[in-house]
Each structure stands twice: as C-alpha cells, then as structure tokens.
C-alpha cells in the first residue's frame, strides 16, 4: 500500500514513438508564462487541447485541462521507448510540487497542535481532534487524487492508443 498519492505504470502502445509524439503535440497545449497582457477577456476561442504541458522527443510532462479548479489533478510524466511497430510508455502520476509542500505543512501543523496539547496536559478531545482532522484530510486527498487519476489516465490512454 502506497501512503502518498502517486501512481506509476507502464503501457504498451501499438503506435510507434514518432506517432505518439505527433499525437501528443496535437493534443497538448504548450505551457506559457501567463500574464495579464496575453490573456484576452473577450476571447471565446474554442481550443481542442486535452492537456497542458511540454512534449519532447523522448518524454513529456503534462496535466489534463479542466473546466474548474482541481488541486488534486495529477502531473503526468512519461518517457517513450520504442520503434515503429510499438512503444513502451512509462507513466508517473503525482501531485504537483506546490500541493505536496502544502500537504506536508498541513500534516506537520496538525501533529504540532496535538503535541502542544499533550505538553499542556489538555483533555483528550483537544489532543485527538487535530489527528481526526488529519485522518479525514488524508482520506479526502486520496479519494480526490484517485478520481482525478482515473479521469486523466482515461484521456491519456485514448490519446496514445
């Protein structure tokens, strides 16, 4: 059982490496530095991109484009090995680094609250309440990541074969 929300898998695609890269470049919107200048408030242009990210000759780092914010959306890193008759794709699904840092901060904060309550000889509820919040938060994180993982994986598998 893995404690931190992340998945790793290998996928055998019937497409060659060049074909997978071509498909990825068509469906992945390149990441650009966002500023107010390059955002158009009245722009209703419909884009056919499925993912944001970077695609290189041997690998990629992407995330699914969503219509509403999702902090538990996985960052998908992949490496492609193969030839014209088929390719082996190594995939790693993980949380974005900023979300990981926040979760570590949250875990430390809840444990610190419990430790302070123990040091001050507070009642049992004051000691256990931060731990209950921590367990509930962990369950929420795992379930939300799992849902986002399955949605992103389904779209990626549809794209690369």
């Amino acid at each position: 059982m893995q404690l931190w929300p992340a998945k790793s898998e290998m996928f055998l695609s019937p497409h060659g490496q060049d074909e997978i890269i071509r498909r990825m470049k068509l469906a992945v919107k390149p990441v650009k530095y966002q500023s107010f200048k390059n955002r158009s408030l009245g722009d209703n242009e419909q884009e056919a991109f499925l993912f944001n990210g970077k695609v290189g000759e041997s690998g990629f780092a992407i995330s699914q484009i969503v219509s509403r914010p999702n902090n538990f959306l996985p960052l998908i890193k992949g490496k492609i090995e193969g030839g014209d008759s088929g390719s082996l794709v190594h995939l790693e699904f993980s949380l974005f680094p900023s979300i990981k840092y926040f979760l570590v901060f949250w875990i430390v904060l809840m444990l610190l609250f419990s430790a302070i309550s123990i040091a001050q000889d507070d009642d049992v509820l004051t000691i256990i309440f931060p731990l209950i919040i921590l367990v509930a938060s962990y369950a929420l994180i795992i379930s939300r990541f799992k849902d986002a993982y399955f949605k992103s994986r389904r779209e990626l598998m549809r794209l690369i074969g």
Side-chain angles (χ1 to χ4, degrees):
M1 181 177 146
Q2 187 170 348
L3 295 177
W4 196 255
K7 301 277 185 181
S8 180
E9 60 187 66
M10 291 170 51
F11 176 75
L12 186 59
S13 175
H15 304 292
Q17 182 175 3
D18 295 335
E19 176 63 15
I20 292 174
I21 291 170
R22 185 189 72 77
R23 288 174 173 227
M24 295 284 294
K25 286 184 178 180
L26 290 174
V28 174
K29 181 179 181 179
V31 176
K32 298 177 184 172
Y33 292 103
Q34 293 292 322
S35 69
F36 190 73
K37 290 181 206 173
N38 64 7
R39 293 183 195 170
S40 174
L41 297 175
D43 190 13
N44 291 328
E45 180 180 321
Q46 294 292 327
E47 295 178 337
F49 296 112
L50 298 172
F51 297 94
N52 284 320
K54 297 178 184 178
V55 178
E57 291 304 314
S58 63
F60 53 89
I62 59 174
S63 67
Q64 188 177 10
I65 294 176
V66 291
S67 59
R68 47 179 237 239
N70 183 351
N71 289 332
F72 303 103
L73 195 66
L75 172 63
I76 307 167
K77 292 182 181 178
K79 292 184 181 178
I80 306 166
E81 299 176 3
D84 294 332
S85 62
S87 298
L88 185 63
V89 183
H90 303 272
L91 300 172
E92 292 181 20
F93 298 82
S94 64
L95 291 172
F96 280 84
S98 59
I99 301 300
K100 288 180 186 178
Y101 298 143
F102 175 76
L103 293 176
V104 168
F105 168 75
W106 182 251
I107 291 167
V108 170
L109 186 66
M110 291 296 111
L111 293 175
L112 187 61
F113 283 160
S114 287
I116 290 170
S117 296
I118 290 170
Q120 292 180 346
D121 289 330
D122 286 340
D123 60 342
V124 175
L125 185 59
T126 308
I127 295 169
I128 294 177
F129 189 68
L131 298 176
I132 292 171
I133 291 174
L134 188 59
V135 170
S137 299
Y138 180 75
L140 178 71
I141 291 164
I142 295 296
S143 68
R144 294 290 308 260
F145 177 79
K146 189 176 180 181
D147 290 343
Y149 158 74
F150 283 124
K151 289 177 184 174
S152 295
R153 184 182 183 277
R154 182 176 57 241
E155 288 298 321
L156 183 61
M157 293 303 153
R158 224 171 42 123
L159 176 64
I160 62 176

